[in-house]
Amino acid sequence: MKKLDISKLDVLALMRFDACTRCGECTATCPTGGEAQDVELVTPRGKILRLREFYKGQYGLRARLLGPKYQSDADLDELAKRAYECTICGQCKTVCPAHLDTIDMWENMREFLVSNGLGPMPEHQQIVKSIENYDNPWMQPRTQRSRWARKLDKDITVKDSLKEHSDVLYFVGCTAAYDPNIRNMALDTATVLSKAGIDFGTLGNEEGCCGSTMLRTGLREQVRKMAEGNIARFEQAAPSMIVTSCAGCYKTLRQDYPMFGKLPAKVVHITTLVDELLRSGKLVPTKRVEGTVTFHDPCHLGRHNDLYDEPRRILGSIPGLKVVEMERNREEARCCGAGGGVKTAFPDLAGKISALRVEDAERTGAGILTTSCPFCYQSLKATIDAKGSKLRMTDLMELLRTSL
Ligand code: SF4
Ligand code: SF4
């Protein structure tokens, strides 16, 4: 039977696990808890209590006096599976009266599971292999990464920031670069930057995966080399600002990369930059876009980064567009179901959560659902298509570009 090595569980996480008062506030809001088979074990409180049982059974006072109590391998596998059913949406963090940073706790818990050979889930291995071999999770050749730019209007120039200095470095991200259904996100972002007169470029085929999926599944050490490679290229490009259009890349570059090295410029999400450009009059939407739209807050922008107002101001600037809110919005927004590696390992669970979010949007009466994250886009669009919803999925930059 396996003995858990708790050395990888950091002290702060251990203190946080012990600080949980078991009040259960988090269990009511957890999107996974509501949809998974075993409600209690997958909820924040359940995971915390079970993990505590494990390490106290092996390292606590009783264990020292009476000898450790080992759990069966099946129990450990069950704990790992439940830990990976969490989308790391952060909803539990916002409601926890003990102010526990559960986002950090779940990521650390996964690192601990990886260090004990219990994670990630077998379904994640293919993505890990793809990132290691191709620098992207989609098993696509490196030489095709910048191919999306060929579809840009001829008058738009995207510099190669490694050869020629550009003020802004646009970090495209793997999904917008490779997924033909998401490629418009990169095209629209580049078009908006160009129309604002921004001097920008990309790393072209030299851009590497940011490592978000691996970090979220507990593979921090495996990301180090990739992150250091990207940071070295940022240094070579020396921009004054790094802009992402992916919420996952944004969180990773902004919050995780400082663990691996110093970035030469601040990291900004496209919604923040565009909001500034609109407010300074450098971008002026003039064409009417008729319709009613509702905005889905990506977890990595909202709860993970407190970025709520900027996308709403952008929507508000588009003439003709009527903006309505879903009942659960901003801090309370329901997750799209795709995050934290859930879509890869538990697609049915991800689909159920995504369906609830699409229903949230349908209840507003809006005809357009928009967001600012390729993963949320992918997940919600798949559900809209599967259920034959009348909603039209768009990226926020597409709506703005249409009005310029
Ligand atoms: S992060 Fe989200 S899915 Fe995970 S336990 Fe918290 S509320 Fe549930
Ligand atoms: S809300 Fe916080 S303190 Fe209460 S059970 Fe959940 S994690 Fe523990």
Side-chain angles (χ1 to χ4, degrees), residues 149 152-158 187 190-195 200:
L152 279 169
D153 286 350
K154 295 278 172 287
D155 57 338
I156 297 176
T157 309
V158 182
L187 294 169
T191 305
V192 168
L193 290 173
S194 169
K195 285 193 184 280
F200 75 102

Side-chain angles (χ1 to χ4, degrees), residues 26 29-33 42-44 47 85-93 102-103 106:
C26 53
T29 49
C30 172
T32 311
V42 82
T43 58
K47 282 194 294 239
E85 278 183 331
C86 161
T87 61
I88 317 204
C89 69
Q91 186 74 75
C92 44
K93 182 181 170 185
T102 53
I103 293 173
W106 307 145

Side-chain angles (χ1 to χ4, degrees), residues 119-164:
M121 294 287 98
E123 294 82 355
H124 294 133
Q125 294 300 352
Q126 196 180 347
I127 288 192
V128 172
K129 274 203 195 102
S130 175
I131 294 173
E132 284 171 354
N133 293 331
Y134 299 98
D135 271 333
N136 68 76
W138 311 117
M139 300 226 281
Q140 295 296 313
R142 287 184 189 87
T143 50
Q144 303 291 310
R145 185 177 272 275
S146 58
R147 206 169 170 205
W148 63 271
R150 291 187 198 169
K151 292 221 155 70
L152 279 169
D153 286 350
K154 295 278 172 287
D155 57 338
I156 297 176
T157 309
V158 182
K159 286 184 177 174
D160 179 342
S161 300
L162 290 175
K163 293 191 179 136
E164 193 181 357

Side-chain angles (χ1 to χ4, degrees), residues 175 179-185 296 335-338 343 350-351 353-359 361-362 367-395 398:
T175 309
D179 185 334
N181 300 315
I182 312 283
R183 220 168 262 163
N184 278 350
M185 184 176 281
H296 165 73
C335 164
C336 76
K343 196 168 177 205
I353 300 172
S354 172
L356 291 174
R357 193 54 174 157
V358 169
E359 284 163 24
E362 286 173 332
I368 307 167
L369 173 58
T370 192
T371 192
S372 213
C373 168
F375 286 107
C376 297
Y377 184 110
Q378 260 181 345
S379 162
L380 296 169
K381 174 86 168 70
T383 302
I384 286 171
D385 292 347
K387 78 193 284 274
S389 169
K390 291 203 176 90
L391 282 167
R392 181 166 74 86
M393 191 71 222
T394 63
D395 175 57
E398 180 191 332

Side-chain angles (χ1 to χ4, degrees), residues 19-27 44-45 48 92 95-98 100 102:
C20 169
T21 63
R22 309 180 202 184
C23 68
E25 279 298 312
C26 53
T27 59
R45 181 177 66 179
I48 288 171
C92 44
V95 297
C96 177
L100 297 178
T102 53

